[in-house]
Amino acid sequence: MGGKPQTPKLALGPVLYYWSKETLLDFYERISATPVDILYLGETVCSKRRSLNTDDWLELAARLTAAGKEVVLSTLALLEAESELKTLRRLCENGRFTVEANDMGAVRLLSGKAPFVLGTGVNVYNGQTLRFLARLGAQRWVMPVELSRATLASIQAQRPAEVETEVFVYGRLPLAYSARCFTARYHDLPKDDCRYRCLDDPEGLALSTREGQAFLTLNGIQTQSAQTYNLLPELAELRALEVDVLRISPQANGTEAVIEAFAACLRGEREPVEAAAALNATLPYGACDGYWQGQPGLRQVVEVV
């Protein structure tokens, strides 16, 4: 690393929740007018969420590209059926849009055939792994959310020159996936007959400890943090670490305001601490930054007021 830090691009990650077709299309219509540079599209959590099918996602990708956005197609993080593998193959062979690989099966299909992005579902924990995956065609990697700034600095020092680094900077953290569906279990339903109950919870189900502290969010087969990760106060450090892309994760409400806040800070029009405090004031379970600081993830280490 060296030289003057460049201004990072803003990315909007894939929608991690189950929203209706109308909600999704309206959401992306609004997002197309925001200063976000890169849009990740597609279902990454559960293949039963079929508000948009593959053709719909490809059509939406074409419209957003025409609107001036860079579009990346995201893949499932956990595949369990032949139908899911067929969809994965189609995405990887789409021939037009870059693909975000969220498991090593997608990496295998893309290897040597097309440049791709490594999503948070692929465990890149050191520079050696990143260099190996770069040889297979990785052009950008998204740092696993549980890693710290110190680990990122170490990997950045070993990063191949042609590979970009993206960091998840805002949203409920995607922590883990399971073959079981937590939402179906909560509603006393079998996974194969879940009745699409995720539609009832556009930001997942909050899970608290016995002491009443918000702990996790249940989102189908995915476990998320209850607190919202917010690294806006760390913007100067992210730039110093030469991070190329900052990822915001879509939420049911307020995503445009989050994008505008980050964009204004990147332009130098707002102070990151002030903007972060305004965003944090709207959060139902507060903010966290523990993983970035090398501490337990649910902690808020840097206080912003």
Side-chain angles (χ1 to χ4, degrees):
M1 295 187 294
K4 183 179 179 180
Q6 299 298 309
T7 299
K9 293 181 179 180
L10 283 180
L12 189 68
V15 172
L16 301 180
Y17 308 103
Y18 194 13
W19 297 349
S20 70
K21 181 175 183 178
E22 294 74 16
T23 299
L24 282 168
L25 294 179
D26 177 68
F27 175 76
Y28 283 112
E29 180 67 25
R30 301 195 314 270
I31 291 300
S32 67
T34 67
V36 71
D37 303 291
I38 304 167
L39 292 174
Y40 289 83
L41 303 181
E43 179 56 51
T44 65
V45 177
C46 177
S47 64
K48 296 185 73 174
R49 300 176 176 182
R50 301 189 188 98
S51 297
L52 299 182
N53 59 33
T54 304
D55 287 330
D56 293 330
W57 285 117
L58 290 171
E59 181 181 343
L60 178 60
R63 292 206 304 270
L64 291 169
T65 299
K69 305 301 184 185
E70 177 186 334
V71 173
V72 180
L73 302 177
S74 297
T75 69
L76 280 174
L78 180 62
L79 285 79
E80 300 181 82
E82 180 63 29
S83 60
E84 298 168 359
L85 184 56
K86 289 175 65 175
T87 298
L88 176 64
R89 289 196 182 101
R90 186 176 176 196
L91 291 174
C92 292
E93 297 169 1
N94 80 87
R96 179 177 179 184
F97 301 105
T98 302
V99 174
E100 178 190 43
N102 279 304
D103 84 319
M104 288 304 293
V107 170
R108 180 178 181 276
L109 289 173
L110 293 161
S111 177
K113 298 177 182 177
F116 55 90
V117 177
L118 296 165
T120 59
V122 179
N123 295 332
V124 178
Y125 291 157
N126 53 61
Q128 183 178 3
T129 300
L130 183 58
R131 291 196 301 274
F132 168 76
L133 293 169
R135 291 195 295 272
L136 300 183
Q139 65 178 13
R140 183 161 68 237
W141 71 296
V142 185
M143 184 180 80
V145 297
E146 66 271 24
L147 297 189
S148 68
R149 58 187 178 184
T151 302
L152 175 61
S154 175
I155 297 175
Q156 288 290 77
Q158 306 171 61
R159 174 180 60 157
E162 69 277 11
V163 176
E164 292 184 327
T165 294
E166 182 170 334
V167 173
F168 187 110
V169 296
Y170 191 93
R172 289 191 175 92
L173 294 166
L175 300 174
Y177 298 85
S178 170
R180 295 188 177 187
C181 178
F182 302 112
T183 303
R185 178 78 173 178
Y186 174 81
H187 291 289
D188 199 25
L189 294 168
K191 180 181 178 182
D192 292 337
D193 186 26
C194 65
R195 304 177 192 174
Y196 308 105
R197 294 303 295 269
C198 284
L199 276 170
D200 300 333
D201 303 295
E203 288 191 343
L205 286 162
L207 176 67
S208 299
T209 66
R210 289 184 176 181
E211 292 74 27
Q213 179 186 9
F215 180 44
L216 298 171
T217 298
L218 304 182
N219 177 38
I221 68 167
Q222 183 188 61
T223 304
Q224 301 177 330
S225 62
Q227 291 80 15
T228 298
Y229 203 54
N230 187 357
L231 294 188
L232 187 50
E234 312 299 334
L235 187 57
E237 187 169 30
L238 288 159
R239 297 180 76 160
L241 286 167
E242 298 183 10
V243 172
D244 301 282
V245 182
L246 307 178
R247 175 179 293 210
I248 296 166
S249 187
Q251 310 297 306
N253 298 294
T255 300
E256 297 99 311
V258 176
I259 293 171
E260 293 291 348
F262 273 83
C265 290
L266 288 172
R267 293 192 300 263
E269 298 170 0
R270 293 181 70 179
E271 288 296 326
V273 171
E274 171 272 320
L279 292 176
N280 291 354
T282 69
L283 301 176
Y285 306 112
C288 64
D289 63 358
Y291 282 141
W292 178 255
Q293 307 293 344
Q295 298 193 32
L298 54 70
R299 289 186 179 175
Q300 176 66 31
V301 178
V302 176
E303 296 294 336
V304 295
V305 293

